[in-house]
Amino acid sequence: MQLPDWEIGRPLGIPVRVHASWFFVFLFMSWTLATGYLPEALPGLSGERYWGMAAAAALLLFLSVLLHELGHSYVAQRYRIPISQITLFIFGGIAHMGKEPPSPRAEFLIAIAGPIVSLLLGASCLALVFLIDTIAGPSGTQGFLVLGGLLGIVNVQLGIFNLIPGFPLDGGRVLRAGLWAWTSNFHRATGQASTVGLGFGLLLGLVGTGVLAASIAGTLDESWSGNGGWLLFIGAFLFGAAWSARRQVGFRLKLETATVGDVMMKSVVSVPPQLSLQAAVDEYFVPHGAGGFPVLEDGAVIGIIIVEDVQAVPQALWPWRQVRAVMHPAEPGGAVPSHWSVKQALEAMLQRGWDRLVVMEGDKPVGVLTRAVVARFLQLKRSED
């Protein structure tokens, strides 16, 4: 079951959504601070005070994660890369970019922006804490100093951790930018950076397992068990994300190397424009089981009719309404040449919100490409790997 999320604002015009899994981390972080860190740093306060300070600290830490992602998003927007939304979830946050960066330089600047924001936030918090402690002293400001110091240290750690050169962390994207500039091959660079990410994920997982086992065996203090668990958890996440990125590279290469002519349905069944919708349903949609057909007149494609167009018309009018009246008229981009890559054709479908394209050789329709056909192609290629 897919968990819900909720929009909480639109900084820089970007929808920010909180995933349901975020509340688990918020509660866990608040509990950890209220029952462990804060009582040790500030002894003698009430339980309600600890929980209030812990909740405030957790919210500020997630605000820091949001600012980190906004750093990426701001630079991406400067390169005219659309950001559909930012999601705060169990692993922190992610900015959903509408397309890949146009150049290695853009990739580097977008990737490095987040860690720079985190490091600047951390340094600012620590500097402010030091300044207040120097001028006013700890009397009456101890709570502020503890929270400010915590926020500063965590932001510095967040910035440094994200600089680990393992894709898809920011450091891995910086590495990809360098490899991309060196090899002039975006997908090869992504695969190489993902391999490094697999290595770092495995290393963190092994270190976390070792620390956890040592704390259980008594070689290390029991307090280290939490650190070991987090390292194991982060390592597993990084390994899984890097593995997924490697697989996506493989899919993209398949889409780029395969042509539309290799994948398309080669039997072109066309519908005449003067046909009634009832006849189109009885003679084409039902017998062939397809979701749409090109509409041809005098050998030329003049449009395409899909099942949703027919369903939008009351059934009582089907015998009287012609295909010509409800079809999508042909327009630039509605037909693609057979020598195009599947990736180019799929991008054209996504940009226009269509699920099928007519394939042409010269002025002659030779096939139809649908999203379902592309999905079957990838499924078959996956089974061959």
Side-chain angles (χ1 to χ4, degrees):
M1 182 181 69
Q2 187 173 4
L3 296 176
D5 55 22
W6 300 270
E7 183 175 327
I8 60 172
R10 287 178 172 257
L12 301 179
I14 303 168
V16 175
R17 306 188 70 86
V18 174
H19 191 259
S21 62
W22 174 86
F23 292 96
F24 169 78
V25 178
F26 172 74
L27 290 173
F28 178 76
M29 189 178 295
S30 298
W31 173 77
T32 302
L33 292 174
T35 59
Y37 178 80
L38 290 176
E40 291 181 6
L42 295 169
L45 301 181
S46 65
E48 293 80 5
R49 183 89 177 271
Y50 286 136
W51 275 98
M53 294 176 66
L59 288 174
L60 287 173
L61 290 173
F62 273 98
L63 176 61
S64 301
V65 172
L66 175 58
L67 291 173
H68 177 107
E69 295 303 326
L70 285 173
H72 292 308
S73 302
Y74 175 77
V75 180
Q77 287 181 330
R78 301 285 291 180
Y79 281 97
R80 299 184 179 180
I81 298 174
I83 309 295
S84 60
Q85 68 180 54
I86 294 173
T87 304
L88 298 177
F89 67 125
I90 191 169
F91 294 116
I94 183 171
H96 303 268
M97 298 186 186
K99 60 181 181 180
E100 298 290 358
S103 66
R105 174 184 171 83
E107 169 74 337
F108 171 79
L109 292 176
I110 293 169
I112 202 67
I116 287 176
V117 168
S118 295
L119 291 172
L120 287 176
L121 277 173
S124 300
C125 289
L126 292 175
L128 184 60
V129 166
F130 176 77
L131 184 64
I132 293 176
D133 187 39
T134 302
I135 295 174
S139 177
T141 61
Q142 192 63 29
F144 177 83
L145 295 177
V146 168
L147 291 183
L150 173 66
L151 194 62
I153 291 171
V154 171
N155 270 286
V156 170
Q157 291 174 338
L158 178 64
I160 293 174
F161 172 76
N162 272 278
L163 288 175
I164 292 176
F167 194 82
L169 294 177
D170 297 334
R173 293 184 58 196
V174 170
L175 175 62
R176 178 172 72 171
L179 293 170
W180 183 8
W182 183 31
T183 64
S184 300
N185 188 314
F186 174 79
H187 294 304
R188 182 186 300 173
T190 303
Q192 292 169 338
S194 298
T195 300
V196 177
L198 288 173
F200 272 103
L202 184 61
L203 177 62
L204 288 173
L206 290 174
V207 172
T209 302
V211 170
L212 191 59
S215 63
I216 293 174
T219 308
L220 290 175
D221 190 86
E222 289 185 4
S223 61
W224 282 84
S225 60
N227 296 328
W230 274 111
L231 283 174
L232 178 60
F233 181 70
I234 293 170
F237 165 70
L238 180 56
F239 186 91
W243 183 266
S244 177
R246 279 181 60 86
R247 293 193 65 185
Q248 288 178 7
V249 169
F251 291 153
R252 289 180 180 178
L253 286 174
K254 290 179 175 66
L255 292 176
E256 285 189 348
T257 54
T259 66
V260 170
D262 296 331
V263 179
M264 69 182 184
M265 295 186 295
K266 294 184 171 65
S267 57
V268 181
V269 178
S270 61
V271 176
Q274 69 275 11
L275 200 67
S276 71
L277 294 183
Q278 187 66 60
V281 170
D282 295 339
E283 300 173 20
Y284 291 89
F285 283 98
V286 173
H288 294 281
F293 301 92
V295 181
L296 266 65
E297 186 173 49
D298 298 328
V301 178
I302 64 170
I304 188 168
I305 183 168
I306 60 176
V307 68
E308 287 80 7
D309 297 330
V310 179
Q311 292 173 338
V313 178
Q315 191 169 353
L317 298 179
W318 286 2
W320 319 108
R321 191 70 60 87
Q322 290 187 344
V323 167
R324 186 192 304 274
V326 300
M327 70 180 187
H328 291 280
E331 58 180 87
V336 297
S338 60
H339 67 266
W340 267 25
S341 71
V342 176
K343 181 174 180 288
Q344 287 176 289
L346 189 60
E347 287 174 350
M349 280 192 240
L350 295 174
Q351 287 173 1
R352 293 169 175 82
W354 297 346
D355 71 342
R356 66 194 60 237
L357 295 169
V358 180
V359 184
M360 307 287 288
E361 284 185 1
D363 296 329
K364 179 184 176 184
V366 294
V368 175
L369 184 73
T370 68
R371 295 192 194 186
V373 167
V374 175
R376 275 200 304 272
F377 165 74
L378 289 175
Q379 189 174 15
L380 288 171
K381 287 297 182 181
R382 186 184 299 130
S383 64
E384 292 175 3
D385 295 340

